[in-house]
């Protein structure tokens, strides 16, 4: 069978079975489910609550939140207009979560709001391994806390998730960006320093020099890194209380035995960050090596209209890159369980009895499979095997007459005769 339609480039289908998409393994829906369950479990253990926001938001929210000059907003948004209003498919979930927090007055619940999410995001980037146009993020936002312990705890939650999957080969880099005033002074100094080198810079960096010089620090080009070696350092511009905050974040990371490397060039690609910024990388992932990133965004709330500051910190991570890292670590994902019972039937009376019984057993809590195609007994038993059923039961005229059936354990081949009204208990007892 076929169709002329294809999923859009940079997106992928999640199917009942894992498959290869241009050399990348796309995990099965059961594997996605298992991974999401483990993530939720770690989140709950860390006393976080789930939040779900819509996948589209007003363009203005994302532009103001993430920043007009960022690559995400200026080049990568899936945007559309409807009845005079501009919308975007969300490229990230921090600004939406802050919008939701403010709109619903979640501060009235009292204390710090520790929220997590799992869901799709959209960025019109050039697709490549580990980089999609529709990808999935899980993340945490700790809203209403400026205590450095919130920073260390957020990083600890991120690390706990990778540990839960046996992904140990990672490197954590951290930095402090200070508050906007310090950053503005630094940006001026950086621009003054780089201007004489303008002709030596790549086209991308030349564009950034005019619009967003901070991002030049992200360069992967050797000759640009050489130029930057003697550039002014952001660290020298950061105010004393941000530096003090950063020292305490590091102390708390040490308290939790979390290893990190300080990287004064780490700036991140979103404008809302203040103070702490961090990124987790895997050397096993190739060009798209960022597993997760985050930081503090103490001014985002005011940027999107709050009359009061709401100091907050969070991180987000790519699900697809988590799968790649689990694969690179050589770790297996939990296998989904097959049906408890597969019913095969012979003849029309048996078919109707099976149909009724399958639905009754399901109501009683068993995972029951059967054939919906009226196939031969041989094909039905093949299907029972393919579906990895624990037990198979064949119903024909004799069984109907006797009111009992042979319950076959598929793995061992052992058979036991069980009266019809004892089958549910028989299977339940052995689950
Ligand atoms: P981000 O660094 O833009 O941060 O994205 C976080 C993670 O999402 C990345 O490290 C990467 O794993 C994944 N990711 C991003 N773009 C793609 C893509 N095109 N394909 C596949 N995976 C991708 C944020 O989004 C911030 N909201 C993080 C944050 C939360 N900061 C504070 N709270």
């Amino acid at each position: 069978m076929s169709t002329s339609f294809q999923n859009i480039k940079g997106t992928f289908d999640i199917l009942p079975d894992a498959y290869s998409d241009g050399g990348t393994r796309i995990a099965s829906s059961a594997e996605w489910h298992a991974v999401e369950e483990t993530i939720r479990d770690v989140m709950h253990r860390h006393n976080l609550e789930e939040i779900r926001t819509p996948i589209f938001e007003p363009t203005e929210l994302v532009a103001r939140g993430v920043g007009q000059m960022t690559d995400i907003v200026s080049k990568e948004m899936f945007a559309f207009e409807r009845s005079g209003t501009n919308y975007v498919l969300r490229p990230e979930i921090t600004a939406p979560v802050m919008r939701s927090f403010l709109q619903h007055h979640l501060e009235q619940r009292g204390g710090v709001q520790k929220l997590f999410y799992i869901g799709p995001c959209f960025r019109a980037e050039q697709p490549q391994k580990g980089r999609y146009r529709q990808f999935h993020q899980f993340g945490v936002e700790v809203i209403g806390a400026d205590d450095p312990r919130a920073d260390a705890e957020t990083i600890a939650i991120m690390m706990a998730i990778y540990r839960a999957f046996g992904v140990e080969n990672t490197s954590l880099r951290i930095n402090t960006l200070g508050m906007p005033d310090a950053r503005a002074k630094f940006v001026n100094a950086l621009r003054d320093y780089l201007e004489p080198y303008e002709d030596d810079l790549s086209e991308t960096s030349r564009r950034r020099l005019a619009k967003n010089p901070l991002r030049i620090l992200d360069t992967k080009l050797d000759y640009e890194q050489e130029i930057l070696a003697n550039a002014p350092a952001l660290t020298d511009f950061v105010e004393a209380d941000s530096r003090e905050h950063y020292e305490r974040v590091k102390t708390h990371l040490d308290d939790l035995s979390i290893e990190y490397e300080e990287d004064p060039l780490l700036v991140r690609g979103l404008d809302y960050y203040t103070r702490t910024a961090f990124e987790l990388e895997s050397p096993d992932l190739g060009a798209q090596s960022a597993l997760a990133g985050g930081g503090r965004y103490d001014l985002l709330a005011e940027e999107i209209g709050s009359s009061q500051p709401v100091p907050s910190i969070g991180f987000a991570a790519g699900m697809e890159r988590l799968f790649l890292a689990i694969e690179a670590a050589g770790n297996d994902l939990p296998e989904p369980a097959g049906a408890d019972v597969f019913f095969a039937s012979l003849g029309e009376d048996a078919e109707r009895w099976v149909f009724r019984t399958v639905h009754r057993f399901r109501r009683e809590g068993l995972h029951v499979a059967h054939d919906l195609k009226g196939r031969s007994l041989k094909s039905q038993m093949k299907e029972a095997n393919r579906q990895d059923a624990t037990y198979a039961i064949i119903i024909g005229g004799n069984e109907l007459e006797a009111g009992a059936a042979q319950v076959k354990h598929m793995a061992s081949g052992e058979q036991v005769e069980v009266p019809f009204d004892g089958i549910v208990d028989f299977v339940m007892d052995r689950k």
Side-chain angles (χ1 to χ4, degrees):
M1 298 180 207
S2 66
T3 166
S4 53
F5 292 108
Q6 295 249 316
N7 64 295
I8 292 161
K9 198 166 169 255
T11 71
F12 55 89
D13 295 318
I14 299 170
L15 304 178
D17 291 321
Y19 66 101
S20 169
D21 180 26
T24 300
R25 182 181 188 277
I26 306 293
S28 68
S29 51
E31 288 170 330
W32 275 79
H33 206 268
V35 166
E36 287 168 0
E37 209 167 294
T38 300
I39 293 171
R40 286 201 167 85
D41 182 52
V42 177
M43 298 293 192
H44 286 135
R45 263 192 285 144
H46 286 84
N47 198 31
L48 292 145
E49 297 172 288
E50 185 167 356
I51 181 164
R52 301 187 192 194
T53 61
I55 62 163
F56 67 114
E57 292 280 355
T59 305
E60 184 66 16
L61 168 75
V62 176
R64 290 244 296 270
V66 174
Q68 203 76 53
M69 292 303 185
T70 59
D71 284 354
I72 295 178
V73 172
S74 64
K75 298 197 300 206
E76 298 168 358
M77 297 220 287
F78 283 105
F80 56 100
E81 185 262 354
R82 183 138 198 120
S83 311
T85 306
N86 293 308
Y87 303 96
V88 286
L89 298 184
R90 64 182 185 192
E92 61 102 54
I93 312 185
T94 308
V97 167
M98 184 54 91
R99 174 208 40 81
S100 181
F101 169 91
L102 295 170
Q103 177 184 338
H104 298 287
H105 303 287
L106 294 188
E107 77 283 359
Q108 288 175 4
R109 300 177 79 218
V112 174
Q113 301 306 307
K114 293 178 60 182
L115 305 170
F116 79 91
Y117 47 79
I118 307 181
C121 293
F122 306 84
R123 294 183 193 177
E125 295 191 79
Q126 202 46 48
Q128 62 177 85
K129 193 175 174 76
R131 190 159 81 191
Y132 293 93
R133 295 188 145 192
Q134 174 171 346
F135 58 102
H136 301 76
Q137 280 191 345
F138 61 92
V140 164
E141 310 298 347
V142 177
I143 302 187
D146 64 5
D147 192 304
R149 281 178 303 170
D151 305 49
E153 182 156 310
T154 300
I155 292 174
I157 297 164
M158 177 179 81
M159 301 308 286
I161 289 177
Y162 291 94
R163 199 175 322 115
F165 293 105
V167 174
E168 310 275 356
N169 192 19
T170 57
S171 70
L172 171 65
R173 289 179 299 125
I174 62 170
N175 191 19
T176 180
L177 304 178
M179 297 305 277
D181 273 359
R183 207 146 71 213
K185 282 185 200 138
F186 168 68
V187 167
N188 283 337
L190 183 65
R191 194 180 273 126
D192 287 348
Y193 171 83
L194 285 174
E195 260 161 11
Y197 296 100
E198 186 166 352
D199 293 343
D200 304 327
L201 297 176
S202 64
E203 202 190 306
T204 310
S205 291
R206 275 207 299 276
R207 199 165 8 92
R208 286 177 170 167
L209 187 58
K211 287 188 170 172
N212 197 0
L214 263 190
R215 289 301 308 284
I216 298 178
L217 302 181
D218 276 346
T219 182
K220 303 268 184 298
L221 300 170
D222 284 345
Y223 65 91
E224 290 192 339
Q225 285 179 350
E226 258 170 53
I227 296 173
L228 286 172
N230 295 316
L234 173 55
T235 329
D236 297 334
F237 289 78
V238 169
E239 345 66 62
D241 51 351
S242 287
R243 277 214 299 275
E244 160 73 16
H245 190 273
Y246 184 52
E247 289 307 317
R248 289 177 53 200
V249 172
K250 287 189 285 178
T251 305
H252 293 310
L253 288 174
D254 295 339
D255 287 344
L256 301 179
S257 306
I258 293 173
E259 286 177 31
Y260 54 83
E261 197 186 305
E262 287 179 66
D263 179 0
L265 296 185
L266 176 69
V267 287
R268 309 247 327 119
L270 302 94
D271 278 355
Y272 47 59
Y273 291 114
T274 49
R275 299 191 162 173
T276 313
F278 55 90
E279 218 157 77
L280 188 71
E281 271 183 294
S282 161
D284 300 329
L285 253 54
Q288 299 308 314
S289 60
L291 286 172
R296 193 162 261 297
Y297 47 94
D298 291 348
L299 303 176
L300 173 61
E302 288 158 289
E303 198 61 58
I304 62 172
S306 169
S307 56
Q308 280 161 34
V310 186
S312 305
I313 176 144
F315 80 85
M319 289 284 287
E320 292 75 13
R321 296 183 193 180
L322 170 61
F323 275 107
L324 290 173
I326 295 172
E327 203 182 337
N331 298 330
D332 290 331
L333 294 165
E335 288 275 327
D340 297 317
V341 181
F342 188 99
F343 270 105
S345 55
L346 254 179
E348 212 173 295
D349 286 347
E351 229 171 57
R352 287 196 57 197
W353 184 90
V354 162
F355 190 63
R356 285 196 310 271
T357 306
V358 160
H359 284 269
R360 187 160 60 77
F361 281 17
R362 287 173 179 166
R363 277 199 302 275
E364 303 210 20
L366 287 180
H367 175 173
V368 186
H370 67 130
D371 175 59
L372 279 174
K373 267 183 135 178
R375 283 183 292 184
S376 71
L377 189 58
K378 198 170 152 209
S379 308
Q380 292 182 57
M381 291 310 284
K382 245 177 137 174
E383 186 62 19
N385 256 317
R386 192 190 70 79
Q387 293 201 17
D388 207 16
T390 309
Y391 293 99
I393 301 175
I394 301 174
I395 303 292
N398 293 344
E399 283 74 18
L400 290 185
E401 217 162 280
Q406 295 290 326
V407 177
K408 181 178 177 185
H409 188 250
M410 295 295 278
S412 64
E414 235 170 72
Q415 299 208 42
V416 184
E417 188 174 280
V418 184
F420 286 165
D421 59 9
I423 295 177
V424 171
D425 286 343
F426 178 89
V427 175
M428 283 288 193
D429 288 349
R430 287 161 184 77
K431 250 173 103 110

